[in-house]
Amino acid sequence: MKLWKKIVVTLILLINVAAGAGTYYFAKVTSDASSAVNSIRKTIDRDSDNSTADINNNEPFSILLMGTDTGDLGRTEQGRSDSMMVVTLNPEQKKSTIVSLERDILTEIVGYGGEDKLNAAYAYGGTKMAMDTIENLLDIPLDHYVVINMKGLKDLVDAVGGITVNNKYDFELDGISLTAGKHTLNGEQALAFARYRYEDPDGDIGRQKRQRQVVTKILRKVMSMDGVSNYRKILKAVQKNAETDLTWDEMLDIGTNYLPAFENIEQKQLQGTNQIINEIYYQILGTSELLDVQNTLKEQLGIQTSDTLPNLEDSDQAQLFNNDGGTATSDTYSDSYGTDNGYDSSYVDPNYVDPNYVDPNTQYDPNYGTGY
């Protein structure tokens, strides 16, 4: 997924700037930061806006992070949100949750009048349609959003001085080669690390785990930084490559009042089973897995959980969902803010089947060769 979790990277940047401005360097940073935020801020007029969270009062809230497959490698079109994450932050519980959403999930596209791949919502109707669609899928309100492109990710990694990761497999992508092992990556290398999948036996799921690793690394690196010059680099990295509806005051509140929520980060992967419908590849979600993710997010947001999928009332269960008895794959990372210890969320479900692999003798993968 070309756009991926870089978007969380953007969140990180915002949080980092807020944290720095709210502590030692407020007077020097706040003017530049406020100006930069105003330049990327874009509110979304949503008819079905269910957001009620008050960041100023330290209430738990959700944010949709989307990465677009544009801004680099010669790509200038709007593109699709091929990488999507929903993040919830609850300072009272001292916990955050990051849920990765598969781009190929078959779902109702709210406002479009039919079903399609989840990443098509952004292509059809931009951020508004993407938020409405994911809000409907997960049955939770989405309070805010951040979108960042590939160029923004590269520049942001460089702005924080690189990130250290554990790479499991040798790979080569877009002229970047990396051997297995622990590496400190610059922006260009980090982009390739987060994008490659064909050398990964876990396919797209493995790629999404690496993307979450990148996001976590950037977040903790940002939170540990100080110095006006560093914050200005971060602001510059996202100023032309990101959009958000967060205000400067809200970012300050996140950076100063929501730090406890980053003490415990739970990561979940919402994935289904691969299925070809009319010669097009889709992911079909399981009812139990989706319910598990919905309730996890609801608990974080202080919302009443459900015993059954509310989505089944409005959707064609036979087409959009499988009956299953499982829960979403998850892992948890708890550490101090400034530690960069090469953490690798490398758990792999032994029953997992690569959703992007298609037997060339029977079908084809319509996404092959299209980017991430």
Side-chain angles (χ1 to χ4, degrees), residues 18 33 90 137 234 328 360:
N90 190 314
L137 176 67
I234 294 172

Side-chain angles (χ1 to χ4, degrees), residues 112-130:
Y112 178 70
E115 295 84 31
D116 206 329
K117 296 186 179 187
L118 182 60
N119 68 350
Y122 182 81
Y124 293 151
T127 301
K128 178 182 184 300
M129 189 171 290

Side-chain angles (χ1 to χ4, degrees), residues 177-228:
S177 298
L178 204 64
T179 58
K182 188 174 182 178
H183 299 275
T184 297
L185 308 180
N186 61 25
E188 188 174 14
Q189 293 170 323
L191 179 60
F193 173 77
R195 290 182 57 229
Y196 87 85
R197 65 182 167 110
Y198 292 112
E199 293 88 345
D200 191 331
D202 303 318
D204 199 52
I205 298 302
R207 174 170 56 182
Q208 292 189 36
K209 288 183 178 182
R210 289 194 306 279
Q211 291 171 351
R212 290 197 300 272
Q213 184 183 168
V214 168
V215 167
T216 302
K217 292 292 185 177
I218 295 175
L219 173 60
R220 297 191 180 281
K221 193 73 175 287
V222 166
M223 298 302 292
S224 68
M225 292 174 61
D226 58 14
V228 175

Side-chain angles (χ1 to χ4, degrees), residues 53-350:
D54 187 350
I55 293 178
N56 293 327
N57 288 327
N58 301 341
E59 294 180 358
F61 74 97
S62 63
I63 182 167
L64 172 62
L65 308 176
M66 295 188 292
T68 62
D69 53 359
T70 60
D72 199 30
L73 303 178
R75 300 171 185 171
T76 58
E77 68 280 4
Q78 174 168 313
R80 293 191 173 202
S81 57
D82 281 348
S83 286
M84 295 154 282
M85 290 188 291
V86 172
V87 179
T88 56
L89 296 92
N90 190 314
E92 183 176 352
Q93 294 181 10
K94 296 183 178 180
K95 183 178 179 180
S96 299
T97 300
I98 302 176
V99 176
S100 298
L101 306 176
E102 261 282 357
R103 64 180 181 179
D104 297 316
I105 290 172
L106 178 61
T107 189
E108 177 187 357
I109 306 298
V110 177
Y112 178 70
E115 295 84 31
D116 206 329
K117 296 186 179 187
L118 182 60
N119 68 350
Y122 182 81
Y124 293 151
T127 301
K128 178 182 184 300
M129 189 171 290
M131 292 186 74
D132 290 344
T133 296
I134 295 173
E135 190 173 80
N136 179 67
L137 176 67
L138 298 180
D139 194 41
I140 62 166
L142 289 176
D143 300 307
H144 297 284
Y145 81 92
V146 177
V147 179
I148 190 169
N149 63 26
M150 291 189 291
K151 182 66 162 56
L153 171 69
K154 289 172 54 177
D155 291 350
L156 189 54
V157 171
D158 287 335
V160 300
I163 57 174
T164 301
V165 302
N166 283 328
N167 181 41
K168 295 180 64 178
Y169 309 105
D170 296 347
F171 77 89
E172 182 175 356
L173 181 66
D174 297 328
I176 301 297
S177 298
L178 204 64
T179 58
K182 188 174 182 178
H183 299 275
T184 297
L185 308 180
N186 61 25
E188 188 174 14
Q189 293 170 323
L191 179 60
F193 173 77
R195 290 182 57 229
Y196 87 85
R197 65 182 167 110
Y198 292 112
E199 293 88 345
D200 191 331
D202 303 318
D204 199 52
I205 298 302
R207 174 170 56 182
Q208 292 189 36
K209 288 183 178 182
R210 289 194 306 279
Q211 291 171 351
R212 290 197 300 272
Q213 184 183 168
V214 168
V215 167
T216 302
K217 292 292 185 177
I218 295 175
L219 173 60
R220 297 191 180 281
K221 193 73 175 287
V222 166
M223 298 302 292
S224 68
M225 292 174 61
D226 58 14
V228 175
S229 61
N230 287 330
Y231 294 118
R232 286 174 176 163
K233 290 178 183 178
I234 294 172
L235 290 170
K236 184 178 180 180
V238 299
Q239 195 162 2
K240 295 183 179 180
N241 302 295
E243 287 184 358
T244 183
D245 63 343
L246 288 164
T247 67
W248 171 239
D249 286 342
E250 288 170 334
M251 293 179 195
L252 285 177
D253 286 332
I254 293 172
T256 55
N257 300 328
Y258 283 76
L259 291 181
F262 294 101
E263 293 182 5
N264 189 322
I265 303 175
E266 181 179 9
Q267 304 178 15
K268 282 183 172 286
Q269 173 72 58
L270 181 59
Q271 65 185 82
T273 57
N274 50 321
Q275 185 172 333
I276 302 294
I277 302 176
N278 296 327
E279 297 188 326
I280 299 177
Y281 172 83
Y282 296 99
Q283 284 272 308
I284 307 300
L285 294 179
T287 54
S288 296
E289 180 182 357
L290 179 57
L291 181 62
D292 172 63
V293 168
Q294 288 182 354
N295 284 337
T296 295
L297 295 173
K298 288 176 181 178
E299 289 174 355
Q300 278 271 278
L301 297 173
I303 299 174
Q304 180 67 43
T305 59
S306 302
D307 294 327
T308 59
L309 277 183
N311 312 66
L312 297 184
E313 299 177 0
D314 303 317
S315 302
D316 182 353
Q317 180 179 5
Q319 180 180 12
L320 296 183
F321 302 104
N322 288 325
N323 291 318
D324 68 341
T327 58
T329 300
S330 64
D331 44 61
T332 301
Y333 178 39
S334 180
D335 200 356
S336 60
Y337 299 128
T339 300
D340 185 0
N341 60 2
Y343 167 72
D344 179 9
S345 55
S346 58
Y347 171 79
V348 178
D349 185 345

